[in-house]
Amino acid sequence: MSALGGIYNFDGAPVDQRLLAALGHLLADRGPDGGREFVSDSVGMAFRAFHTNSESRFERQPLVSSNKLIVALDGRIDNRDQLLALLRDSRGDETDVEIVFSAYSRYGVDCFGKLIGDFALAIWDPHLQVLLLGRDAFGVRPLFYSIDRATIIWASDLRSLVGLVGTDREIDDDYVAGFLTQFPEPWQTPFKGVDAVPPGHVVRIQNGRIDKWSFWNPQPTPEIRYKCDAEYEEHLRALLYDAVRCRLRADRPVFIECSGGLDSSSVACIGDHILKRGEAPAPSIETVSYVYDEARTSDERRFIRAVEEKRGKAGYHILEEEYPCLAPSANGFFVGAPTFGHCFAKRKIRLSQIMQEAGARVLLTGQGGDQLFYSNTDPDITFADLIHQRKLLELHRQLQDWSLTLKKPYLQLLWSGAVLLLPRSTQALFRPTAKLPDWFDKEFVARMGLRERMLGPATVDGSLPSMRDQATAILSVVRSLAAAHSREWACIEISHPYLHLPLVEFLQSVPLHQKIRPGETRSLMRRTLRNVLPEIVAKRRGKQGPDEALCRALSNEWPRLKQMFANARVCAYGYINSKDLMAALHRARFGAEKHTFSLLMTISLEFWLRSLEQRNEAAKSTVPIKGQAEWSRTV
C-alpha cells in the first residue's frame, strides 16, 4: 500500500517542484518508509513507500531508466514467475516495479493485460511523449486524477489529491445517487473535476489528449465442461490456494478479517494449510473479528469460535460495547469519500491500532465470495436461463424441485425467473431489490433514476442470463471496493483473495448448476472446502447482519444524533426529506425500519458531509503554496 502521485504539464512547461513536494508531503501518511520526488522537465513523480515484503525493501521509486522512462508502482504482482520466464533475460530476484518496467519495455501498453495482482501504476514514456495511468482489474488499488487546461495531477490517495487541488469544489450528485443505492461507478469520485482511473483500464495522456483503454472487463465467457463434480472441485481448490498464497508474500504477520462466514473463514483455514507446508514467507496469520455482546442477533461468535478452534489459535476480538456503531470518530478526521465505515469509525481505528501493535501491515478479507458463488437462496437466475433456452421440460422439473425445497408456489418461482428477462426499467417495477426507502427526496429520486440504480450495474452483453448476472455481480464488487476507500481509515494494505483474477475468470466459466442446487447455495464452494472448514461453518445457512447493533446504537447516541439530524446536511443538499428521515430514525431505534442498509448509508453520507465542511473551514485558515493556489483557481 505505497503511495504515488505526479504532475504532467501538456504544454512542456517545467514542473513546479514546490507543488510536487507538497504532493509528496501529503502522501507521506500513506507511505511511512521514505520516498522521493523525481522531475524530468514537464513531468514529475512522487513516491512514498509502504513495505510489506522483502522484495519491496530493495525498491527505489520512481524507477528511472537512462533514457528517462519513469515507472511508479503501488502494488503486488502475483504472477512474478510467469513474467520472469517471458522476459527471459531476468536475474530472478527483480522487485515488482522492475518486473513492470521490463514488461513495459518489451510489450508496451500490452503489458497491462499480462499483470496479475493488485496495482496502481504510472508510466512516463519520453520517446512517445505519453503518460499512462493504470489500475488493476478490480480496482483494489485506487488511482485518481484531476485535469485543467494544461496540466494533470494524479495520486493514489484521494484525500491527498483533493488536499492539493482543493476540497471546496462542487459535489457530484451522480456519485451521491450511486452511493445511496448500489455504490457509484468505479471511475467516479464525490468531487466534480476529480476522477478515478477505471478498474481494468489505462488512462493515456498524449499531446494534451486523454483517452481510456480497457485491458480487462468481466464479459461473459464460454462455459467450462468437465466430466464430473470432482474435476470442478479440484480446479477450484488449486485456484483458492493460489489466491491466498500469493497474498501471504509478506515479511510480517498477516491479519484476516474473520466474520465466521464461509468466505473469510476459508481464507483463514487455507492460509494455515499454506503456512504449515512452508509455501509462503509470512511468519504467522492472525484473525480479527467484530463481536456483539449486546446485539445478540448480530453476533456470529459461535462460528468465529469454531474457526479459532479449527486453527488452534484465538483471534483478536473488537467488542461492540467498547467500539460501538455510530460513535463519533476523532474530531477533524477526514476520508476522501463517504464510506460505510463512517458508521463504524471507532472499530476501524481500533483495527489499525491492533495491527500496528502486532507489527502487521496486510489485511485479507472475504469480499467477493458472496457474489462469485451465488449466496442468494433464490434460484430465479436458473429459471431465467431455462426460459431463455426454451428448455421447458427441464424448467418444469427444476420448478417442481425448488418449489418443494423452498416451499414456495410453482408459479411464483416461474414469475421470479421471467422478470429477469424483462427490460431493466420494467424490472424496477417488480423486483424487491428496486424498492426505495421513503425518506429519499422524490425530486432527487426522479432526477437521478434511483429506482433503476437499485438493480445494480447495467447488464452487460452475454448469451445466458446467468452469464450476464455473474458479470454484473463482479461489477457490483468492483463498485463497492472502488467506492469504499477503506485504506484511508488505516495505514494498512487490504487485499481480497476472492478477487484473484484467475479465480474470477474460472468462476465466470463454471456452469450455474455447479454453484447452486436445490437446498444448497454455494454448492461448488461447500463441496470443495468440506475438509477445510469447520463443519458448523461449512453447513451454515445465511448470515447475521448489523441491524440490531444499529438499532441499539441509535438509541444510545440519540441525543447527539437527534440534534445533528435536526439540521441534516443530507437534507440541505436536497438528497433526503427531513421529516421522513426523522421518522425512519425513530422506527430504527425500536427495530421497526426495514431499510437498515440504506439508513446506514444515509447516516454515513451525513457524517462525511460534515467532515468535509469542517475540512473546508480549516483549509480557509491555511495559506497554500503559490502553485497550489493557482491550481485551485484554474480547475
Side-chain angles (χ1 to χ4, degrees):
M1 193 216 68
S2 298
L4 61 91
I7 302 171
Y8 169 38
N9 295 323
F10 311 143
D11 58 4
V15 167
D16 184 333
Q17 297 195 32
R18 292 180 62 197
L19 189 62
L20 184 64
L23 178 58
H25 176 75
L26 289 167
L27 293 170
D29 285 347
R30 303 293 96 197
D33 297 326
R36 64 168 182 156
E37 290 82 45
F38 179 83
V39 175
S40 178
D41 300 325
S42 60
V43 177
M45 292 195 195
F47 186 83
R48 293 297 182 270
F50 185 84
H51 300 312
T52 59
N53 55 61
S54 57
E55 292 87 358
S56 67
R57 299 181 186 280
F58 295 99
E59 292 178 348
R60 179 172 169 78
Q61 294 202 52
L63 185 61
V64 185
S65 71
S66 57
N67 66 347
K68 300 296 179 66
L69 177 69
I70 311 172
V71 179
L73 168 72
D74 166 27
R76 186 198 65 252
I77 304 302
D78 295 334
N79 59 333
R80 287 170 51 87
D81 293 342
Q82 177 191 25
L83 290 171
L84 289 173
L86 288 172
L87 297 172
R88 295 178 188 169
D89 56 351
S90 67
R91 305 184 311 270
D93 62 350
E94 281 88 346
T95 63
D96 287 3
V97 69
E98 288 175 328
I99 291 175
V100 171
F101 186 96
S102 298
Y104 178 77
S105 298
R106 181 170 185 140
Y107 298 108
V109 73
D110 291 338
C111 76
F112 288 91
K114 301 181 184 297
L115 303 177
I116 296 175
D118 304 341
F119 62 83
L121 62 90
I123 299 175
W124 168 249
D125 188 328
H127 175 69
L128 298 176
Q129 290 289 294
V130 62
L131 173 69
L132 303 171
L133 304 177
R135 193 176 177 195
D136 63 72
F138 306 111
V140 176
R141 302 292 176 99
L143 190 56
F144 308 96
Y145 63 92
S146 183
I147 299 178
D148 75 349
R149 293 182 299 274
T151 303
I152 179 172
I153 299 181
W154 68 93
S156 56
D157 181 70
L158 180 59
R159 182 169 53 182
S160 298
L161 182 58
V162 297
L164 190 73
V165 303
T167 56
D168 57 340
R169 55 186 57 232
E170 189 176 353
I171 292 176
D172 189 345
D173 284 354
D174 197 55
Y175 181 96
V176 173
F179 178 78
L180 289 174
T181 52
Q182 293 288 332
F183 296 106
E185 296 292 355
W187 55 83
Q188 293 179 317
T189 79
F191 305 101
K192 288 189 176 181
V194 179
D195 297 308
V197 176
H201 281 69
V202 177
V203 173
R204 179 172 56 190
I205 301 96
Q206 188 173 32
N207 299 323
R209 295 180 56 188
I210 181 169
D211 58 55
K212 300 171 186 177
W213 173 73
S214 170
F215 60 86
W216 191 87
N217 58 69
Q219 289 295 330
T221 54
E223 284 189 343
I224 293 175
R225 292 288 182 178
Y226 287 146
K227 294 179 181 179
C228 61
D229 287 354
E231 292 185 12
Y232 289 103
E233 294 162 17
E234 181 181 359
H235 194 163
L236 175 60
R237 189 178 301 108
L239 288 172
L240 284 173
Y241 273 72
D242 284 344
V244 177
R245 184 183 297 111
C246 64
R247 286 162 175 78
L248 295 177
R249 180 163 68 97
D251 56 2
R252 298 165 177 254
V254 172
F255 270 61
I256 297 173
E257 275 187 330
C258 183
S259 67
L262 285 163
D263 304 318
S264 60
S265 299
S266 63
V267 172
C269 293
I270 289 171
D272 280 347
H273 285 211
I274 291 169
L275 291 195
K276 286 175 182 176
R277 297 195 300 227
E279 295 177 351
S284 64
I285 289 174
E286 306 291 341
T287 60
V288 59
S289 305
Y290 311 112
V291 296
Y292 300 87
D293 287 314
E294 298 178 352
R296 303 302 296 172
T297 61
S298 299
D299 195 53
E300 299 274 49
R301 198 169 320 205
R302 66 190 181 108
F303 299 106
I304 294 167
R305 189 179 298 115
V307 176
E308 293 175 343
E309 290 173 355
K310 176 83 172 179
R311 302 185 64 230
K313 188 176 187 179
Y316 292 87
H317 291 181
I318 298 178
L319 305 180
E320 171 196 19
E321 59 186 15
E322 295 179 3
Y323 305 96
C325 173
L326 303 184
S329 60
N331 188 39
F333 187 80
F334 178 72
V335 175
T339 82
F340 189 72
H342 278 89
C343 286
F344 300 93
K346 282 212 165 183
R347 83 178 189 188
K348 284 186 170 292
I349 293 170
R350 177 56 182 157
L351 169 63
S352 176
Q353 292 170 344
I354 290 172
M355 290 185 63
Q356 188 174 14
E357 290 165 3
R361 289 188 167 188
V362 175
L363 176 70
L364 305 186
T365 82
Q367 280 192 268
D370 281 346
Q371 294 83 356
L372 290 169
F373 286 103
Y374 281 99
S375 63
N376 194 336
T377 57
D378 294 328
D380 46 10
I381 196 66
T382 300
F383 307 141
D385 273 6
L386 295 172
I387 295 170
H388 178 82
Q389 295 170 307
R390 295 180 174 83
K391 294 182 178 180
L392 301 184
L393 289 177
E394 176 64 14
L395 172 64
H396 174 66
R397 186 184 67 80
Q398 289 277 358
L399 285 166
Q400 287 183 316
D401 289 346
W402 280 100
S403 180
L404 287 171
T405 300
L406 299 178
K407 295 181 174 55
K408 289 185 177 181
Y410 180 105
L411 291 178
Q412 179 183 336
L413 294 176
L414 176 61
W415 172 244
S416 71
V419 165
L420 298 182
L421 301 175
L422 300 174
R424 280 173 60 86
S425 57
T426 308
Q427 288 185 42
L429 300 176
F430 297 104
R431 291 180 65 184
T433 53
K435 301 300 182 184
L436 288 170
D438 57 9
W439 64 80
F440 287 179
D441 180 81
K442 289 180 173 54
E443 189 277 332
F444 185 65
V445 168
R447 177 165 58 90
M448 306 307 299
L450 262 58
R451 287 188 175 83
E452 189 169 333
R453 288 175 186 262
M454 289 293 284
L455 295 173
T459 306
V460 296
D461 294 334
S463 56
L464 287 175
S466 63
M467 292 181 178
R468 297 196 299 268
D469 189 65
Q470 179 73 92
T472 299
I474 295 169
L475 288 174
S476 296
V477 179
V478 170
R479 295 206 311 185
S480 68
L481 288 174
H485 305 287
S486 295
R487 73 183 199 169
E488 290 190 34
W489 289 97
C491 194
I492 55 178
E493 180 177 297
I494 305 174
S495 191
H496 318 283
Y498 281 100
L499 296 183
H500 186 54
L501 185 57
L503 173 62
V504 172
E505 291 179 335
F506 168 72
L507 289 171
Q508 278 189 284
S509 303
V510 169
L512 184 61
H513 66 80
Q514 284 291 326
K515 300 175 185 177
I516 181 170
R517 293 176 178 179
E520 186 178 42
T521 60
R522 296 169 170 257
S523 178
L524 176 58
M525 182 186 194
R526 294 180 195 273
R527 299 190 323 259
T528 301
L529 299 176
R530 54 181 169 262
N531 296 322
V532 176
L533 289 167
E535 185 177 6
I536 188 177
V537 175
K539 292 184 176 180
R540 71 173 299 180
R541 297 290 187 271
K543 195 172 182 180
Q544 303 290 355
D547 293 22
E548 184 185 345
L550 173 63
C551 296
R552 287 182 175 276
L554 280 169
S555 293
N556 295 335
E557 297 286 336
W558 184 243
R560 178 176 65 91
L561 294 175
K562 181 180 179 181
Q563 183 178 5
M564 177 185 297
F565 281 99
N567 182 31
R569 310 316 300 146
V570 289
C571 301
Y573 280 85
Y575 306 135
I576 303 295
N577 178 280
S578 178
K579 181 180 177 181
D580 291 337
L581 176 60
M582 291 300 291
L585 290 168
H586 278 290
R587 290 195 300 269
R589 291 173 62 201
F590 302 102
E593 174 54 54
K594 60 183 178 180
H595 293 289
T596 52
F597 178 77
S598 293
L599 189 59
L600 275 172
M601 299 302 271
T602 301
I603 296 172
S604 296
L605 179 61
E606 175 69 22
F607 288 170
W608 180 78
L609 288 170
R610 288 176 176 270
S611 70
L612 175 65
E613 291 179 356
Q614 290 175 4
R615 168 102 171 198
N616 289 342
E617 285 299 316
K620 290 177 182 178
S621 62
T622 303
V623 179
I625 66 170
K626 180 175 181 291
Q628 182 179 355
E630 291 174 347
W631 172 268
S632 299
R633 286 197 300 270
T634 58
V635 171

